[in-house]
Amino acid sequence: MAVGNVSRNIRKRLVGVLKGAVDVAGSTMELTRAATARYLRASTSRRDKASRWIEDVVEETVIGAMRGGSDAGKDLPSVAKAAVIGAIEGVSKVTNVTDAVLSNATRAAVKGAEELGGDVVEVARRAVEGAVEAGQRVGFDPEKAARAAAMGATEGTEELDETVADAVAKSIAGTISGMRGILEMAFKKPPVLIVGGNRSDAQNLGQSLNREGYKTNTASSLAELDDIVRSGERIRLVLLDISGLNKTVWQHCEQLRKARIPFVVIAPQRSPAVKQESIRYGARGVLVKPISAKELAEHIRAVIGS
């Protein structure tokens, strides 16, 4: 079944279940848990079992449940929390639950609240509570679960008004006893990662971005980039300077795309072939040296916002 149909099916079934339900949370959890496991099991190929497919199913089940709960006139934050728990536990019945699953569940809840005109702050808070509860049930350390859940929620607010995003951060930071510091750290914006063999160029780019208010880190090789991606470290954007690199650079671009990390290619000269390959492998744009600070900042804002 195409992922696009998952949300519609969940919504349709949940409306009927919730209209007369006394235990809204229990009904939502049960249906979402079963549906998530069913959709994952229905896809038998290795490709469909990849993390992208799992995350898509989690997103669609959470949002579908929230739409169904809204149609049935139920309390949206309660439905969101129950849907997050159900989706995470549904994944656990089929495969291992990862940090990405927890993050994607809370990000989906925030997205659903925005689409439905619900209380984003309260939905985010309850969704994080649900992700931490479910994470512990499937074997996560509570601190690790809290960090992943908070990251997903904050990523869901990146395109919202800054006042709303701040309110979400403060609400979640005070939600889970003893974890304020962890959650506040999770809400700090991740850095822009500058990758290139020329240390001087990387430092100049970093200084330009620092003046614009961006936090930056650098990696001096593609191997170092791979290590950072595998570590799960949060990255806001990768600026990939391909000067002097061979064709294996496109394999690394493919890895960034699979990890859902936005990246921009920086080329030493204009080249239709480089532009074509960059876009093919998922680049959000191609910049050509020399790059002015103004051009760089404007392009980054166009990709990831302020």
Side-chain angles (χ1 to χ4, degrees):
M1 174 179 291
V3 172
N5 295 325
V6 173
S7 181
R8 289 191 293 273
N9 288 346
I10 290 287
R11 175 179 182 173
K12 183 177 180 181
R13 294 187 62 197
L14 201 57
V15 171
V17 171
L18 291 186
K19 279 186 176 178
V22 176
D23 181 7
V24 173
S27 297
T28 303
M29 258 186 276
E30 182 179 350
L31 187 146
T32 311
R33 183 190 302 117
T36 302
R38 182 173 65 254
Y39 289 125
L40 292 178
R41 287 188 181 118
S43 188
T44 56
S45 74
R46 289 185 178 180
R47 180 177 181 180
D48 283 346
K49 287 286 173 64
S51 60
R52 179 65 179 269
W53 166 257
I54 295 170
E55 291 172 27
D56 284 345
V57 169
V58 168
E59 178 175 324
E60 293 298 326
T61 51
V62 170
I63 291 178
M66 291 175 67
R67 288 171 179 161
S70 177
D71 290 350
K74 302 302 180 181
D75 178 61
L76 195 61
S78 298
V79 171
K81 177 178 178 178
V84 165
I85 293 173
I88 293 169
E89 292 183 346
V91 172
S92 73
K93 292 181 177 298
V94 180
T95 187
N96 292 331
V97 175
T98 64
D99 292 22
V101 170
L102 299 184
S103 296
N104 205 58
T106 54
R107 183 167 57 245
V110 171
K111 179 180 177 181
E114 180 190 4
E115 291 178 357
L116 294 165
D119 185 339
V120 175
V121 175
E122 183 62 12
V123 165
R125 184 180 71 84
R126 299 292 297 279
V128 168
E129 287 180 347
V132 173
E133 288 180 22
Q136 288 180 265
R137 291 178 194 173
V138 300
F140 268 76
D141 175 85
E143 292 187 359
K144 185 177 181 182
R147 187 178 294 109
M151 285 180 179
T154 189
E155 287 169 0
T157 66
E158 286 183 349
E159 295 183 4
L160 302 182
D161 181 87
E162 189 173 341
T163 302
V164 176
D166 287 343
V168 168
K170 290 176 182 177
S171 175
I172 295 176
T175 293
I176 306 168
S177 176
M179 296 189 181
R180 177 180 293 273
I182 294 170
L183 293 171
E184 287 177 345
M185 284 296 293
F187 274 96
K188 288 184 178 180
K189 288 185 176 179
V192 173
L193 180 65
I194 302 167
V195 182
N198 188 312
R199 189 174 296 276
S200 177
D201 284 354
Q203 289 176 342
N204 290 336
L205 282 176
Q207 289 170 1
S208 296
L209 291 177
N210 293 156
R211 286 192 293 268
E212 294 292 327
Y214 293 100
K215 178 184 175 183
T216 61
N217 282 344
T218 59
S220 58
S221 68
L222 292 174
E224 189 175 347
L225 169 62
D226 285 347
D227 290 340
I228 292 172
V229 172
R230 281 195 296 267
S231 74
E233 179 181 332
R234 294 183 71 212
I235 303 169
R236 199 173 184 190
L237 174 75
V238 170
L239 294 177
L240 179 58
D241 186 347
I242 64 171
S243 302
L245 301 179
N246 58 35
K247 291 184 178 180
T248 63
V249 69
W250 304 121
Q251 298 174 14
H252 298 274
C253 290
E254 177 68 14
Q255 291 170 6
L256 290 173
R257 178 167 63 179
K258 288 180 178 179
R260 295 186 174 185
I261 299 173
F263 67 96
V264 172
V265 169
I266 298 175
Q269 60 187 13
R270 294 190 184 279
S271 166
V274 166
K275 184 174 182 179
Q276 182 179 359
E277 288 297 281
S278 299
I279 301 304
R280 176 187 171 192
Y281 284 97
R284 301 291 185 87
V286 180
L287 299 176
V288 179
K289 295 180 179 180
I291 308 165
S292 70
K294 181 179 179 182
E295 178 189 10
L296 181 61
E298 287 179 351
H299 195 88
I300 290 175
R301 279 194 290 270
V303 174
I304 61 174
S306 59

